[in-house]
Each structure stands twice: as structure tokens, then as C-alpha cells.
């Protein structure tokens, strides 16, 4: 895997670090390919329940590497989009741990994640309109589904930045922490990783798909996803562990 992206796994959590601090973790082709490979590792490893994506050196991600772009390099992976995953997020949950700035494509990386933990001094923004561009890596599509439309409209049309507290107020950030966002994200990830992996993955899938279902079909569609969980080994193990007052030993089946 490229040195532009580092990974480490511990207790069911895969941490993915964009490692270009000298470029404020701007996304070039190497980052996109590295993140794509890391996401594939997250998906294929049954010992992993959840991932965290963060940036080295105190900055989350400043967006697309414009120098690389001017040299004809596109920071995308075919079928997966910008940063190697924004068009095809993993089936397993992903947390963005945001220190410093998450701007333009950097904010769109956070948008593509399921949860966001931010340091109190973090800044978010999609300033593309200030350069005559549009936020085409997911912000215009996904942000109105995550926060009230009028707030999404303001961010998109003004290009202005907002702080972590404001981002939490409007429903974009889950947790604001005083210290390292990565430490806060690891705490949240540990809580999730302690749960049944099949149930976690299925719960994410239902929530991600529910707005595409009509009222008449939503119960049947949900059943297709969660039905097998209730007859799984993990479901029996969870019930047994509760009855025996012990920690469950998940098998992922």
C-alpha cells in the first residue's frame, strides 16, 4: 500500500490515515488508490467491524491536490470515485476523525462517512463556488440528506466555513471533542465494534437505503436485510451472553 495512506488494525477497528501532511493531506492519485485498497481490506477482513479515516499532521483533508490535477492527474478510482471511495462507500461503518480542516473534497470525504467526530477547533466547508467550481464529489447530492436543506444550500452557495460546534448543531457532526479527534473516534468505534458485526452491518444498510423505499415496501425491504440475523449464531450468542452475564464472543455468522 502507498505511503500516502497508512493503515493499522486493532480490536476490530481499521484506522486509515491520509499521510500527506506537507500537502495538508490533499488527495492525489496515490491517496485515492491507497484509500481504495484500505477500504477493500476493511470489507474483506471478517475480524474488522468498522473503519476510521483521518489525516496526519493535524489536518483532516484539504481536498483535491490542485498541483497534481494541473499535471493531468485525477484523484479518483474507476467505479469508486474521488478519494477511492466516495461513490462506493463500504458496507461496514466508517467514521471520519476530523482535526483541523475538512474542506472541499475533504469535507466530501467526511460526508461519505457514516459518522463524524471532530476536534472543537475543526473547520468544515465546500468553498468550490469561490473558485467558480461546484462540489461534485458528493456534497451537493448527499449533504441535503444529512442536514436540513436550507443549511446545505447556504454552505454550497456561500462557500463559507463553519466550525465543529456549528456543524454539530445542524446535525453533521456526531461528537465534538477537546482533544484528538482520532482518540474520540476510536472511543466511538470501540463501542460499535463491541456489538454483533452482522447486526452492525445490516443496521447501516437499512438506514442507508430507507429513504429510497416507499411506505408500502419498507417493511418487506428491511426484512430482506435483517431477517437472517435473527437466526444467526451471533443472535443466539448475544442472548446467551446476556443471560449468563458475560461478554459475547461474536462469530460473524
Amino acid at each position: 500500500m502507498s505511503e500516502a495512506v497508512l493503515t493499522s488494525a486493532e480490536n476490530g477497528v481499521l484506522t486509515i490515515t491520509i499521510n500527506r501532511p506537507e500537502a495538508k493531506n490533499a488527495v492525489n492519485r496515490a491517496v485515492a488508490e491507497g484509500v481504495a485498497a484500505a477500504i477493500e481490506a476493511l470489507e474483506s477482513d471478517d475480524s474488522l467491524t468498522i473503519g476510521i479515516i483521518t489525516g496526519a499532521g493535524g489536518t483532516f483533508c484539504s481536498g483535491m491536490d490542485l498541483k497534481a490535477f494541473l499535471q493531468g492527474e485525477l484523484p479518483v478510482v474507476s467505479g469508486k470515485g474521488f478519494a477511492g471511495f466516495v461513490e462506493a462507500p463500504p458496507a461496514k461503518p466508517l467514521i471520519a476523525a476530523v482535526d483541523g480542516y475538512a474542506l472541499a473534497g475533504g469535507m466530501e470525504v467526511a460526508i461519505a462517512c457514516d459518522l463524524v467526530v471532530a476536534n472543537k477547533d475543526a473547520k468544515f466547508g465546500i468553498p468550490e463556488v469561490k473558485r467558480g467550481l461546484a462540489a461534485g464529489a458528493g456534497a451537493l447530492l448527499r449533504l441535503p440528506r444529512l442536514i436540513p436543506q436550507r443549511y446545505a444550500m447556504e454552505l454550497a452557495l456561500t462557500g463559507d466555513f463553519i466550525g465543529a460546534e456549528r456543524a454539530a448543531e445542524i446535525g453533521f457532526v456526531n461528537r465534538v471533542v477537546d482533544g484528538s479527534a482520532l482518540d474520540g473516534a476510536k472511543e466511538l468505534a470501540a463501542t460499535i465494534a463491541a456489538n454483533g458485526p452482522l447486526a452492525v452491518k445490516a443496521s447501516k444498510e437499512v438506514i442507508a437505503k430507507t429513504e429510497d423505499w416507499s411506505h408500502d415496501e419498507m417493511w418487506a425491504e428491511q426484512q430482506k436485510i435483517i431477517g437472517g440475523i435473527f437466526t444467526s449464531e451471533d443472535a443466539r450468542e448475544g442472548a446467551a451472553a446476556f443471560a449468563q452475564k458475560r461478554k459475547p464472543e461474536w462469530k460473524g455468522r
Side-chain angles (χ1 to χ4, degrees):
M1 190 173 292
S2 168
E3 289 297 314
V5 175
L6 306 176
T7 62
S8 63
E10 183 178 13
N11 298 325
V13 181
L14 180 69
T15 301
I16 304 166
T17 304
I18 302 174
N19 186 40
R20 300 189 70 218
E22 75 288 349
K24 302 297 183 184
N25 297 318
V27 179
N28 61 6
R29 178 73 181 184
V31 169
E33 291 177 344
V35 172
I39 295 294
E40 288 178 4
L42 172 65
E43 293 286 70
S44 63
D45 189 338
D46 290 341
S47 72
L48 298 172
T49 299
I50 187 168
I52 298 171
I53 187 164
T54 192
T59 295
F60 181 70
C61 177
S62 59
M64 178 173 69
D65 187 327
L66 295 179
K67 292 180 180 178
F69 174 73
L70 290 173
Q71 295 173 356
E73 184 177 298
L74 295 177
V76 301
V77 173
S78 179
K80 298 181 180 180
F82 177 76
F85 86 104
V86 300
E87 292 181 20
K92 295 176 182 179
L94 193 60
I95 301 173
V98 180
D99 289 301
Y101 290 94
L103 302 179
M107 182 166 178
E108 289 173 307
V109 167
I111 288 170
C113 294
D114 302 292
L115 302 162
V116 180
V117 176
N119 173 268
K120 62 183 177 61
D121 296 321
K123 302 292 183 185
F124 299 85
I126 42 175
E128 283 86 345
V129 290
K130 293 182 182 292
R131 300 292 178 263
L133 301 172
L140 303 181
L141 299 171
R142 290 193 175 114
L143 199 54
R145 300 182 180 189
L146 296 174
I147 64 176
Q149 186 186 55
R150 292 188 186 275
Y151 293 143
M153 191 73 77
E154 181 179 347
L155 287 169
L157 299 187
T158 65
D160 290 343
F161 300 171
I162 59 172
E165 295 288 354
R166 178 58 175 160
E169 286 174 4
I170 65 177
F172 182 68
V173 166
N174 294 85
R175 297 186 180 184
V176 178
V177 297
D178 287 333
S180 160
L182 181 56
D183 289 343
K186 285 183 175 180
E187 181 180 340
L188 177 57
T191 300
I192 295 169
N195 298 327
L198 295 178
V200 166
K201 186 175 178 180
S203 295
K204 169 181 171 170
E205 185 177 358
V206 171
I207 290 174
K209 291 181 176 179
T210 184
E211 66 183 22
D212 296 326
W213 298 334
S214 71
H215 181 272
D216 291 337
E217 69 182 351
M218 63 183 184
W219 292 103
E221 292 299 323
Q222 176 181 256
Q223 187 61 24
K224 292 176 185 177
I225 296 170
I226 70 170
I229 290 176
F230 291 88
T231 57
S232 68
E233 288 185 34
D234 277 358
R236 292 191 293 275
E237 168 61 13
F242 176 80
Q244 296 165 16
K245 297 185 169 117
R246 60 173 174 81
K247 183 179 177 180
E249 297 180 6
W250 308 118
K251 299 292 192 296
R253 58 179 186 266

